């Protein structure tokens, strides 16, 4: 095949791929796919939306997949959400803030001195969409320094996990800190935890060291915290600040790998966890760490970086499947009975957490021993393909899935081919003195 023919073939292929991708951009169905069956636990679903492009929001979805209520602020990421009562929602919000609106002390890190992050735990009046209470603080930058979780306590105080400062604390309604726990005092070399379990060491002031992403008050008064980068969930006695129990172990990814949002079923001594980097939901026996239940999603569309899972009172499990832009509810046999699959990423792009309104993370729900485990994990090749497709959403529009991404790859390769042919042609002309 001579050069002219090769160039013609490459140009035609590129043009056909561009035309095909353009047609798909126009005709592809971008409406969410909604599943709703009789086995669904009743109620609307509240979703905290992280988003890919700082377009975070709180969204309330009806069982039919309609948006019943929404709240957002510009340039934000939303993580934990909780409806306190019929009128009020509590949310963890991280706002990317330009330098001119940042306190000077949060502009000292040269790599991000053009911005900071304004972390806010806000109480929102649903009728007016006004913030009626908040606690806030600033940090150097938004990546891995966002506030992820809180819990409103029975005494009216609020417990907060502060990822950027590797601490947990409680505040009263006036914003006064009533208790504070620092990971540096309990997870560093020389501490009992480190001597027994090890773990990553902090590498500088701005290191994403613990990535503390969840805090819950247990029935015994202790705090349960998810220390994501340690692959561990710890229980802390606030009277002594000592770590009294650990589930998981740094580096032992057979148990947990960078988990999120554990739901303790205290009556049964188990814990439902979004085992994020393993792409699965697991329920572990807190004492033995044995897996008593698991779910990896349907074989046609396995979970991709799930970050929340709640066991509902009827034995169903509500799952936030982040990189699939999907929230789903599975029954005790693992069948999907409710699903909001936002394939275009226009309503809940990269959701972080989902709560069924009116249903707290209760300790008296059915345990995994009464459910059917559905944990047939996909093979390594399929996992890699699915992960690549999901990660592409950070670069391409969310409606573009594997076929569309392959179009882009083909266009890029064709373009490189044409460029190479042009270089060869130019070299030949120089060589021949033309």
């Amino acid at each position: 095949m001579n050069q002219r023919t090769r160039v013609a073939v490459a140009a035609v292929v590129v043009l056909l791929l561009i035309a095909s991708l353009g047609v798909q951009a126009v005709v592809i169905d971008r409406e969410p796919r909604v599943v709703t069956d009789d086995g669904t636990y009743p109620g609307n679903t509240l979703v905290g939306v992280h988003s890919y492009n700082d377009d975070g929001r709180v969204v309330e979805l009806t069982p039919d997949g309609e948006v019943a209520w929404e709240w957002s602020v510009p340039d934000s990421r939303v993580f934990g959400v909780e409806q306190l009562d019929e009128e009020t929602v509590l949310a963890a919000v991280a706002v990317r803030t330009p330098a001119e609106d940042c306190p000077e002390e949060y502009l000292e890190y040269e790599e991000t001195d053009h911005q900071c992050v304004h972390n806010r735990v806000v109480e929102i009046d649903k009728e007016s969409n006004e913030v009626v209470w908040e606690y806030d603080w600033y940090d150097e930058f938004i990546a891995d320094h966002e506030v992820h979780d809180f819990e409103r306590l029975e005494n009216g105080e609020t417990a907060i996990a502060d990822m950027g400062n590797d601490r947990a604390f409680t505040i009263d309604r006036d914003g006064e800190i009533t208790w504070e726990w620092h990971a540096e005092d309990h997870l560093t070399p020389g501490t009992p935890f480190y001597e027994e379990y090890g773990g990553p060491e902090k590498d500088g002031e701005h290191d994403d060291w613990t990535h503390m992403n969840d805090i819950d008050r247990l029935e015994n008064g202790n705090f349960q915290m998810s220390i994501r980068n340690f692959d561990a969930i710890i229980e802390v006695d606030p009277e002594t600040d000592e770590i009294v129990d650990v589930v998981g172990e740094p580096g032992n990814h057979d148990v947990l790998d960078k988990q999120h949002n554990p739901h303790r079923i205290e009556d049964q001594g188990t814990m439902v966890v979004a085992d994020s980097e393993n792409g699965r939901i697991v329920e572990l026996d807190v004492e033995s760490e044995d897996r008593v239940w698991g779910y990896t999603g349907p074989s046609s569309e396995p979970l991709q970086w799930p970050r929340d899972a709640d066991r509902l009172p009827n034995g169903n499990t509500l799952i936030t499947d982040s990189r699939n832009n999907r929230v789903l509810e599975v029954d005790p046999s693992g069948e999907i009975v409710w699903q909001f699959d936002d394939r275009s990423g226009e309503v809940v792009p990269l959701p972080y957490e989902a709560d069924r309104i009116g249903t707290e993370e209760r300790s008296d729900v059915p345990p995994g021993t009464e459910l059917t485990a559905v944990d047939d994990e996909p093979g390594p090749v399929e996992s890699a393909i699915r992960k690549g497709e999901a990660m592409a959403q950070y670069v391409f529009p969310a409606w573009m899935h594997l076929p569309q991404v392959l179009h882009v790859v083909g266009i890029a390769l064709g373009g490189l081919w044409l460029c190479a042919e042009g270089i060869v042609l130019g070299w030949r002309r120089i060589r021949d003195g033309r």
Side-chain angles (χ1 to χ4, degrees), residues 6 42 81 132 138 142 164 183 226 253 295 302 306 347 356 381 385 426 432-433:
R6 291 198 306 269
V81 290
V132 295
Y138 288 87
I142 195 167
S226 170
H253 296 158
Y295 180 79
V347 182
R356 185 60 45 82
V381 175
I385 292 173
D432 297 339

Side-chain angles (χ1 to χ4, degrees), residues 19 33 43 48 66 71 114 116 121 131-132 141 149 152 202 204 224 238 254 268 312-313 324 326 411 424:
R33 296 184 300 185
E66 299 296 324
W71 178 89
H114 62 290
C116 67
V121 176
V131 173
V132 295
F141 47 89
D149 196 44
R152 177 58 52 83
K202 191 167 185 177
Q224 174 181 276
D254 289 338
Q268 303 295 329
L312 302 176
N324 279 327
R326 174 172 65 163
I411 292 168
V424 170

Side-chain angles (χ1 to χ4, degrees), residues 75-79 91-97 106 116-122 134-149 160-165 167 169:
D75 300 315
S76 71
R77 304 173 181 182
V78 176
F79 296 94
V93 186
V95 183
R96 188 187 295 273
T97 304
Y106 299 105
C116 67
V117 60
H118 186 195
N119 284 315
R120 307 171 63 195
V121 176
V122 297
E134 79 172 277
Y135 182 83
D136 68 326
W137 69 97
Y138 288 87
D139 208 329
E140 288 274 4
F141 47 89
I142 195 167
D144 301 319
H145 283 240
E146 318 103 313
V147 56
H148 273 41
D149 196 44
I160 299 173
D162 177 6
M163 179 188 300
N165 293 299
R167 64 169 179 156
F169 62 99

Side-chain angles (χ1 to χ4, degrees), residues 2 10 12 29 53 66 84 111 121 138 148-149 155 159 175 233 237 243 253 285 328 355 364 393 403 418 425:
N2 61 37
V12 168
D29 185 6
N53 298 303
E66 299 296 324
L84 301 176
E111 294 182 19
V121 176
Y138 288 87
H148 273 41
D149 196 44
N155 64 0
I233 297 161
D237 182 344
I243 298 172
H253 296 158
D285 183 286
L328 63 155
D355 283 353
D364 58 351
Q393 294 177 98
L418 290 173
L425 178 61

Side-chain angles (χ1 to χ4, degrees), residues 11 55 76 93 146 148 224 229 245 329 342 361 363 384 404:
D55 187 25
S76 71
V93 186
E146 318 103 313
H148 273 41
Q224 174 181 276
N229 287 354
D245 194 21
E329 178 184 344
D342 183 21
E361 290 188 356
S363 64
Q404 293 77 40

Side-chain angles (χ1 to χ4, degrees), residues 38-199:
D38 292 340
T40 303
Y41 192 80
N44 289 358
T45 302
L46 194 67
V47 185
V49 179
H50 179 167
S51 80
Y52 297 95
N53 298 303
D54 297 336
D55 187 25
R57 67 199 75 157
V58 185
V59 178
E60 180 182 338
L61 300 172
T62 69
D64 293 330
E66 299 296 324
V67 176
W69 176 75
E70 186 174 0
W71 178 89
S72 65
V73 293
D75 300 315
S76 71
R77 304 173 181 182
V78 176
F79 296 94
V81 290
E82 178 186 354
Q83 180 145 326
L84 301 176
D85 52 46
E86 290 185 2
E87 296 84 20
T88 315
V89 164
L90 199 59
V93 186
V95 183
R96 188 187 295 273
T97 304
E100 57 266 27
D101 296 325
C102 298
E104 284 293 328
E105 62 264 36
Y106 299 105
L107 298 172
E108 297 173 356
Y109 190 54
E110 291 184 4
E111 294 182 19
T112 56
D113 60 6
H114 62 290
Q115 63 181 22
C116 67
V117 60
H118 186 195
N119 284 315
R120 307 171 63 195
V121 176
V122 297
E123 205 172 287
I124 309 157
D125 180 88
K126 293 182 70 175
E127 183 175 356
S128 66
N129 267 19
E130 296 294 324
V131 173
V132 295
W133 177 88
E134 79 172 277
Y135 182 83
D136 68 326
W137 69 97
Y138 288 87
D139 208 329
E140 288 274 4
F141 47 89
I142 195 167
D144 301 319
H145 283 240
E146 318 103 313
V147 56
H148 273 41
D149 196 44
F150 57 80
E151 179 163 313
R152 177 58 52 83
L153 307 178
E154 290 184 0
N155 64 0
E157 295 184 355
T158 305
I160 299 173
D162 177 6
M163 179 188 300
N165 293 299
D166 302 306
R167 64 169 179 156
F169 62 99
T170 58
I171 54 167
D172 61 20
R173 294 292 291 182
D174 296 325
E176 295 296 322
I177 293 177
T178 56
W179 172 77
E180 193 167 14
W181 185 90
H182 290 269
E184 286 191 25
D185 298 331
H186 302 277
L187 300 178
T188 49
T191 61
F193 177 95
Y194 192 89
E195 294 305 307
E196 182 171 355
Y197 298 98

